[in-house]
Amino acid sequence: MTAVLTAQHLTKNFPVRGRFALRRSTVHAVQDVTIGLSAGKVTAVVGESGSGKSTLARMLARLISPTSGEVLLNGDPVPRGAANRAYRREVQLVLQDPFSSLNPIHSIRYHLSRPLRIHGFAADTDAISELLHRVALTPAERFIDKFPHELSGGQRQRVAIARALAVRPEVLIADEPVSMLDVSIRLGILNVLADLRDNEDLAILYVTHDIASARYLADAIVVMYAGQIVEAGPARQVTDAPAHPYTQLLLRAAPDPDRTEPVTDLAGRGAPPSLIRPPSGCRFHPRCPHAMDICRTKAPQPLPINADHTASCWLYQEKHHPTE
């Protein structure tokens, strides 16, 4: 399947100036990431805070420019520099905080009519009502003239999704869209995203730290650690048979009512590394229960586990397998 949006070898470094003017350093936020988003599929990017997943989302949304690498939309390179209106129409971003993403002085009618007008679509009541219906805010007349403070967090996030849909994008990037919502209403937002995938053939990037919600929603899961992809594959394969030790720890730390063994605490294996001075070799080796000598000196390349499933781990390089 041809990807609608593709990132090829994206890297993002942020320069940091230290206490003294001449002392400078660099945050290696995202390193050599390649990922593709296909129509009618949800791809989840999973990782702890600081893994680089939101930086990746912002590069794909053209909010920040990559240090190197390129982005392709329908196979065509996207020029670097100032984002253009045509690209913004095709690739829309839904932010994490529904309480700050909507201007409190404007009504829902204004928030939804403005992108319609900017991009040359009809901005009448019927068009706005149809957008509200697509995100399950019905009947529309109950919401169309309300202000953001009159809505719940879940309703605000649905309005933010409707605003993104107003310009008829091909790609929707949802950056932690449920992390600031009550647990009781998160499932409703995930179901809205699932309906958009199934009924409107959208390519969706779902950024989250919650691998359990990624398993529920996503078709494919990409696991990031310290700015790099460590595992990628079909969602069921990655969660039912995780290959990388980091993915295994993420799953053991996720809530599971059927689990009988004690929950693994990720913090018990140390903290994520500094991205100013990342570890040599595999970046996960200081926290890895299976670390070998080669892990400390040489970074592994993605290795095939089975069809469409890869892991960047020396455990799967036969000549370095610990059982030998």
Side-chain angles (χ1 to χ4, degrees):
M1 182 180 294
T2 303
V4 178
L5 188 67
T6 305
Q8 292 186 338
H9 305 291
L10 282 192
T11 293
K12 182 61 181 180
N13 299 324
F14 294 100
V16 178
R17 177 167 292 180
R19 179 181 299 179
F20 303 103
L22 296 179
R23 182 178 178 181
R24 296 183 179 181
S25 54
T26 300
V27 176
H28 305 278
V30 172
Q31 297 294 300
D32 195 26
V33 167
T34 295
I35 188 173
L37 307 180
S38 299
K41 300 291 182 182
V42 174
T43 301
V45 177
V46 180
E48 294 173 277
S49 296
S51 63
K53 56 189 188 297
S54 289
T55 300
L56 173 62
R58 280 159 171 72
M59 283 193 284
L60 291 176
R62 309 299 290 170
L63 296 184
I64 57 176
S65 296
T67 303
S68 63
E70 66 176 348
V71 177
L72 307 177
L73 180 62
N74 291 315
D76 297 323
V78 177
R80 296 174 64 182
N84 57 68
R85 182 174 294 184
Y87 184 83
R88 288 290 178 85
R89 174 180 167 178
E90 300 295 344
V91 181
Q92 283 285 302
L93 175 67
V94 176
L95 296 169
Q96 177 180 8
D97 186 0
F99 297 93
S100 63
S101 61
L102 301 176
N103 192 324
I105 69 171
H106 293 302
S107 69
I108 304 309
R109 181 189 296 273
Y110 175 88
H111 282 100
L112 298 184
S113 64
R114 188 166 184 268
L116 290 170
R117 290 195 304 269
I118 289 174
H119 290 273
F121 299 114
D124 54 22
T125 298
D126 288 343
I128 296 169
S129 298
E130 192 267 339
L131 286 172
L132 292 172
H133 178 75
R134 287 165 71 186
V135 295
L137 285 178
T138 55
E141 56 268 21
R142 288 182 50 198
F143 302 96
I144 195 168
D145 290 315
K146 286 191 174 183
F147 288 81
H149 73 271
E150 299 178 283
L151 304 181
S152 68
Q155 290 169 341
R156 290 188 195 195
Q157 195 64 294
R158 289 171 189 261
V159 171
I161 295 171
R163 180 175 59 184
L165 296 176
V167 297
R168 305 172 189 174
E170 291 188 76
V171 179
L172 185 67
I173 300 173
D175 186 6
E176 298 270 16
V178 300
S179 64
M180 297 192 69
L181 304 178
D182 291 341
V183 173
S184 59
I185 59 177
R186 291 180 182 179
L187 184 60
I189 300 298
L190 295 180
N191 287 338
V192 167
L193 295 176
D195 288 343
L196 293 173
R197 169 195 59 195
D198 298 337
N199 301 328
E200 304 192 22
D201 214 30
L202 272 178
I204 299 176
L205 181 70
Y206 173 56
V207 177
T208 182
H209 63 274
D210 179 11
I211 197 168
S213 70
R215 186 183 193 277
Y216 173 80
L217 175 65
D219 301 284
I221 291 178
V222 174
V223 181
M224 289 189 69
Y225 181 78
Q228 298 177 330
I229 293 177
V230 296
E231 186 166 358
R236 293 287 177 176
Q237 290 186 29
V238 170
T239 56
D240 290 349
H244 197 280
Y246 177 62
T247 310
Q248 295 167 7
L249 287 174
L250 281 179
L251 284 162
R252 289 173 192 156
D256 183 352
D258 297 324
R259 182 187 288 115
T260 56
E261 70 274 11
V263 174
T264 299
D265 184 1
L266 269 171
R269 301 209 63 87
S274 166
L275 294 183
I276 295 178
R277 290 179 296 276
S280 60
C282 174
R283 291 187 175 184
F284 187 60
H285 85 256
R287 304 172 74 187
C288 182
H290 308 292
M292 302 174 286
D293 288 341
I294 193 171
C295 303
R296 299 176 178 89
T297 59
K298 189 175 180 181
Q301 297 300 308
L303 299 167
I305 306 302
N306 49 46
D308 301 322
H309 185 183
T310 62
S312 298
C313 181
W314 286 114
L315 290 173
Y316 302 97
Q317 184 74 30
E318 184 176 328
K319 65 180 179 179
H320 295 294
H321 201 284
T323 59
E324 293 185 350

